[in-house]
Amino acid sequence: MMVTTKLSIHDKLPLTCSRTGTCCHGKLVLLNPWELVCFAKEKKVTPREFRDRYCEFGGIRLRFDGALGWKNQPACSQYVENFGCSVHVGRPLACRLYPLGRQIQSEVVHYMYQGDEFPCLEGCPEVLTLPYLTVGEYLGGQITEMFEKAQDAYLNLMQDLADIAFVLLLETGLTESGDKHTLPQWRVMGSELPEALAERIGPDWLDCLMLPSILDDIDDPISFARKHNELLQLKAQEQFGALQNNQEIHEASVLIMGVALHLARGIGANPAILAEHWIDTAKKHGAME
């Protein structure tokens, strides 16, 4: 099991980047919808064009299909050799934080890095000769605040989507009918590969999730996420507002939970763990499997 080194905001580390580009190879960069818009704006293309050219699984993951580099690993699709990131100003939180990670527990933010040795030392040992920064100084220099707010806003939006699945299961008579099929499907989706879950959700919901029709508030992630939430809630109301029978309600609950779990992966949460948590919560309110 990978060791995690937890940090305080005052810990001083070799966080000054040497700009060798090793961290732009062979990584996993996940995106929330606002980050996709930021990338597209910097690239001077539409979010749909950026998603279709440079992302996977409907937009939640950045492609790493560039030339082979450090350790013979492929470069990020946005990396330009001998230059660096072609969309540096629009880079997402994962890139801004690296080599640090971020986690929220009981509404408290924690920063950490994986392993007991500072991750940059293998690929960039020269960082030891560069100025050390506190975690707080590094975050300020990387301008993470707005991107952290976006991540938290989409964490709340994810829960709101899951709540729709709960309402469909628990407040429509589906649970009282003796339904034992919905929760197992939630569990299956929590463990599905992202490409399988994206296919299950379908292009219509994927587009609504990752390409919201919001033309303003791009510079305000909280307002952007709020408007996005309103669009998703409206779509759910329109699609699920006149369901005729328990089979349709079951399918709707599974679909919207799938959307919540897909977004969860895009914001760095573990879908399998979340699915189990939501299943346990539903059981406490009378749902069965």
Side-chain angles (χ1 to χ4, degrees):
M1 186 174 181
M2 178 67 75
V3 174
T4 298
T5 301
K6 293 186 177 181
L7 304 167
S8 83
I9 205 75
H10 304 294
D11 285 337
K12 187 167 280 193
L13 300 164
L15 284 164
T16 299
C17 182
S18 62
R19 300 192 180 278
T20 59
T22 57
C23 60
C24 297
H25 293 76
K27 295 295 187 291
L28 178 68
V29 175
L30 299 167
L31 303 174
N32 65 51
W34 183 73
E35 289 176 324
L36 194 158
V37 169
C38 290
F39 254 148
K41 179 182 177 183
E42 186 63 19
K43 197 78 172 179
K44 295 180 173 56
V45 298
T46 68
R48 183 179 294 276
E49 288 172 325
F50 188 91
R51 195 264 314 259
D52 293 347
R53 290 182 191 176
Y54 303 118
C55 297
E56 298 177 301
F57 316 134
I60 64 167
R61 192 168 88 180
L62 194 61
R63 290 186 187 276
F64 272 66
D65 55 2
L68 299 181
W70 186 65
K71 282 193 170 184
N72 207 36
Q73 298 179 107
C76 170
S77 58
Q78 304 308 303
Y79 181 75
V80 177
E81 193 171 359
N82 299 319
F83 175 78
C85 181
S86 62
V87 284
H88 191 257
V89 173
R91 68 197 187 282
L93 183 62
C95 299
R96 291 170 188 272
L97 285 177
Y98 189 84
L100 306 181
R102 178 180 185 268
Q103 187 178 57
I104 297 180
Q105 293 178 326
S106 301
E107 300 185 1
V108 177
V109 176
H110 301 276
Y111 299 96
M112 74 287 293
Y113 61 79
Q114 294 293 331
D116 51 13
E117 183 178 82
F118 192 63
C120 294
L121 298 185
E122 181 184 8
C124 307
E126 63 273 15
V127 296
L128 291 174
T129 67
L130 300 174
Y132 281 41
L133 302 173
T134 66
V135 171
E137 289 169 339
Y138 181 67
L139 297 177
Q142 292 293 313
I143 315 176
T144 65
E145 183 179 4
M146 295 297 284
F147 289 80
E148 293 188 66
K149 287 181 177 179
Q151 197 77 338
D152 296 345
Y154 273 99
L155 183 66
N156 291 331
L157 190 155
M158 175 202 73
Q159 182 61 58
D160 287 345
L161 291 173
D163 286 344
I164 299 173
F166 277 102
V167 169
L168 289 165
L169 175 61
L170 299 172
E171 299 182 14
T172 60
L174 181 59
T175 292
E176 287 79 359
S177 74
D179 169 76
K180 294 184 179 180
H181 302 294
T182 303
L183 295 187
Q185 283 298 302
W186 289 8
R187 178 173 288 111
V188 167
M189 292 188 298
S191 299
E192 270 185 332
L193 294 174
E195 56 266 38
L197 186 54
E199 184 176 353
R200 179 195 291 269
I201 293 167
D204 186 37
W205 271 99
L206 277 178
D207 284 356
C208 195
L209 178 65
M210 298 306 298
L211 303 172
S213 300
I214 302 173
L215 300 178
D216 54 2
D217 289 330
I218 293 176
D219 295 324
D220 183 349
I222 295 176
S223 180
F224 184 92
R226 186 187 70 249
K227 289 185 177 181
H228 192 181
N229 198 353
E230 291 170 356
L231 289 173
L232 288 163
Q233 295 286 331
L234 180 61
K235 181 174 178 61
Q237 184 178 3
E238 291 174 346
Q239 186 165 335
F240 306 146
L243 301 175
Q244 299 297 313
N245 54 57
N246 286 334
Q247 180 61 29
E248 291 183 353
I249 296 169
H250 156 76
E251 291 171 358
S253 181
V254 170
L255 172 60
I256 199 66
M257 181 57 79
V259 176
L261 290 168
H262 200 59
L263 176 60
R265 180 177 272 115
I267 59 177
N270 185 316
I273 292 174
L274 269 176
E276 289 301 328
H277 168 69
W278 284 330
I279 288 168
D280 288 343
T281 301
K283 284 181 176 180
K284 291 175 182 176
H285 289 82
M288 299 174 288
E289 63 173 329

